[in-house]
Amino acid sequence: MIVNGKEMNFKEGITVKELLKEIKLDEDKVVVEVDLEIINKNEYNQKKLSTTSKVELIRFVGGG
């Protein structure tokens, strides 16, 4: 699986929610794109990823 351009190993069928937990990201502070499709937050628990998925995680950062 490719996450933000880096190859990472996760089990086949991991959900978006499980992936975020594994890499310690708050699901409320991130936008997830899988294979060029933005995933709705209410689908994080159902959307399964494969070993060939390309995932982009965009984090919100505050500041001024």
Side-chain angles (χ1 to χ4, degrees):
M1 178 181 315
I2 305 294
V3 179
N4 287 357
K6 289 183 170 182
E7 189 166 336
M8 301 181 90
N9 292 313
F10 293 100
K11 67 179 179 172
E12 180 77 24
I14 190 173
T15 65
V16 170
K17 185 174 185 124
E18 291 169 330
L19 173 69
L20 294 174
K21 187 176 179 181
E22 285 281 327
I23 56 180
K24 297 174 178 49
L25 285 178
D26 184 344
E27 66 183 76
D28 292 326
K29 296 180 182 171
V30 70
V31 172
V32 179
E33 178 186 282
V34 177
D35 299 324
L36 303 177
E37 177 186 343
I38 293 178
I39 307 302
N40 194 313
K41 287 190 188 306
N42 62 10
E43 296 176 29
Y44 286 3
N45 207 31
Q46 293 89 24
K47 177 68 176 174
K48 294 187 185 287
L49 304 171
S50 74
T51 55
T52 60
S53 294
K54 290 186 175 83
V55 181
E56 292 293 325
L57 304 172
I58 299 100
R59 289 181 272 177
F60 297 109
V61 186

